[in-house]
């Protein structure tokens, strides 16, 4: 992976991540996700979504943008970002199983985060090969 592709990945993925976090922070229903038909008894892992997830996402998005300019930060940020997005993908799949309404709401997030996660995994796999 070239330096140009790496910078492009970190900038685009960071921007998408920051925007999604900000949309969740600014959403008037960010704390009221559970009245939409989700059974919270079997979804204790989703409580992070309604409380701190959006702030963590904004932070990792900003770190991804900074990592595009600071190569020493790239690997730790890519590892954390990939793990965080894998968690979110799993949470969306769990939500899709519980509520069709919320499942269709988050299907585009699922697609975008899957692409970012795959590319991050590819970056990490190619890191020491250069």
């Amino acid at each position: 992976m070239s330096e140009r592709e790496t910078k492009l990945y970190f900038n685009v993925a960071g921007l998408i991540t920051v925007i999604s976090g900000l949309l969740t922070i600014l959403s008037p229903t960010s704390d009221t996700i559970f009245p939409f038909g989700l059974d919270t008894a079997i979804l204790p892992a989703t409580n992070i979504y309604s409380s701190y997830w959006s702030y963590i996402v904004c932070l990792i998005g900003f770190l991804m943008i900074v990592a595009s300019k600071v190569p020493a930060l790239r690997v730790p940020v890519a590892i954390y970002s990939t793990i965080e997005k894998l968690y979110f993908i799993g949470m969306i799949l769990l939500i899709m199983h519980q509520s069709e309404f919320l499942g269709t709401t988050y299907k585009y997030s699922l697609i975008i985060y899957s692409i970012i996660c795959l590319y991050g995994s590819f970056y990490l796999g190619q890191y020491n090969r250069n």
Side-chain angles (χ1 to χ4, degrees), residues 25-125:
I25 290 171
L26 300 175
S27 172
T29 60
S30 64
D31 291 330
T32 58
I33 188 173
F34 296 119
F36 292 107
L38 291 177
D39 181 9
T40 58
I42 65 169
L43 294 175
T46 61
N47 290 336
I48 193 171
Y49 179 79
S50 62
S51 54
Y52 299 109
W53 178 82
S54 54
Y55 300 106
I56 294 169
V57 168
C58 282
L59 178 64
I60 195 63
F62 284 126
L63 283 174
M64 288 179 86
I65 293 171
V66 170
S68 72
K69 295 165 184 56
V70 182
L73 290 177
R74 290 182 184 161
V75 172
V77 168
I79 291 171
Y80 180 79
S81 171
T82 303
I83 291 171
E84 181 263 333
K85 285 172 182 35
L86 281 174
Y87 168 77
F88 190 63
I89 289 167
M91 190 179 70
I92 290 174
L93 292 174
L94 193 60
I95 287 172
M96 289 175 117
H97 179 71
Q98 286 286 314
S99 170
E100 187 174 324
F101 171 73
L102 284 178
T104 57
T105 302
Y106 289 111
K107 68 181 174 186
Y108 296 113
S109 296
L110 179 67
I111 293 168
I112 290 171
Y113 276 162
S114 295
I115 292 169
I116 292 173
C117 189
L118 286 173
Y119 204 81
S121 299
F122 177 73
Y123 170 75
L124 289 170

